[in-house]
């Protein structure tokens, strides 16, 4: 039977990364994706930007939409304060299964909950399932046409508080024009762009960091 790309990525982690060492798991995945098979992890270049935004936010509650193999989950979680947990949402059960094993290899299984299902179904259940009131940090990296509906859903469910930081990947490639237009023209957010390249390539891409200022006024115009 043929293996899938996530299964081959997991195998590279198990063979090459030191158990319990998140940095070596990250290095093993980056090496596999640069030299063997490209995969849609945030990667090392944009990953360094993700790291710095996580560190400056120092969040107590964190949500990631789009887990895939758990690469960014490992990156984020290794930087979290001791009591902080990451909730990460993945609709593909095979990817979620790989992600749990990658996270386990990094020794971070007690700090991460990989939730299987669609973001639109799970966002409204965060309060009931986890007792979450608001998220201090949200990382958007699922399908690009879901960024806009899901940020609006997070707002409608009152899951953002003043000072919450939303970081969105791939706002240039593949691009999220409706989301960027919404967030940049919205007086309830202060937004800035970090230019970089699509993971493991020279193609231009970037991240958009948007701080929620609290519900103030409607959209500009
Ligand atoms: N954040 C990961 C990283 O950097 O390591 C990469 C995530 S990958 C780009 C996007 C993932 O989002 C895919 O695994 C896909 O199955 C998942 N996904 C897409 N739309 C989703 C949705 N609406 N709800 C849950 N998961 C979704
Ligand atoms: Mg991405």
């Amino acid at each position: 039977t043929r293996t899938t790309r996530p299964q081959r990525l997991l195998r590279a982690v198990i063979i090459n990364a030191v158990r319990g060492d998140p940095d070596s798991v990250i290095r093993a995945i980056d090496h596999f994706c640069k030299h063997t098979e490209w995969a849609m992890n945030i990667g090392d270049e944009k990953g360094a930007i993700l790291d710095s935004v996580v560190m400056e936010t120092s969040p107590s509650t964190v949500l990631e939409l789009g887990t895939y193999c758990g690469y960014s989950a490992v990156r984020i979680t290794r930087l979290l304060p001791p009591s902080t947990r990451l909730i990460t949402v993945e609709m593909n059960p095979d990817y979620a299964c790989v992600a749990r094993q990658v996270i386990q290899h990094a020794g971070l299984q007690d700090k991460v909950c990989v939730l299987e299902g669609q973001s639109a179904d799970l966002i409204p259940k965060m309060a009931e399932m986890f007792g979450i009131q608001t998220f201090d940090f949200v990382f958007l990296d699922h399908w690009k046409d879901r960024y806009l509906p899901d940020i609006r859903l997070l707002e409608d469910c009152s899951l953002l508080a003043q000072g919450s930081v939303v970081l969105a990947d791939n706002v240039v490639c593949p691009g999220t024009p409706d989301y960027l237009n919404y967030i940049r023209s919205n007086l309830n957010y202060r937004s800035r762009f970090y230019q970089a390249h699509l993971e493991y390539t020279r193609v231009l891409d970037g991240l958009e960091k948007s701080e929620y200022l609290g519900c103030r006024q409607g959209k500009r115009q």
Side-chain angles (χ1 to χ4, degrees), residues 4-29:
T4 64
R5 181 172 308 185
Q7 287 167 348
R8 294 187 292 274
L9 183 151
L10 170 63
R11 191 177 148 73
V13 166
I14 289 168
I15 292 172
N16 298 308
V18 177
R19 229 170 225 294
D21 180 350
D23 288 307
S24 92
V25 169
I26 291 165
R27 276 196 303 275
I29 297 175

Side-chain angles (χ1 to χ4, degrees), residues 64-79:
E64 171 178 77
L65 301 182
T67 318
Y68 189 44
C69 299
Y71 174 89
S72 54
V74 168
R75 276 203 95 105
I76 293 168
T77 307
R78 83 197 205 285
L79 301 172

Side-chain angles (χ1 to χ4, degrees), residues 40-43 50 64-73 88-92 95 115-120 122 139-147 150 169-170 199:
M40 59 180 164
N41 326 117
I42 190 169
L50 170 64
E64 171 178 77
L65 301 182
T67 318
Y68 189 44
C69 299
Y71 174 89
S72 54
T88 180
V89 174
E90 175 53 58
M91 68 183 186
N92 181 317
Y95 297 170
L115 268 188
E116 266 174 56
Q118 295 271 346
S119 52
L122 293 169
F139 180 50
L140 300 179
D141 193 21
H142 53 335
W143 295 156
K144 307 314 154 191
D145 60 356
R146 297 306 307 172
Y147 287 23
D150 284 346
D169 189 25
N170 306 109
E199 49 267 27

Side-chain angles (χ1 to χ4, degrees), residues 134-136 158-165 212-214:
T134 56
F135 286 105
D136 298 329
S158 303
L159 286 166
L160 300 179
Q162 191 176 334
S164 293
V165 169
Y212 190 63
L213 303 172

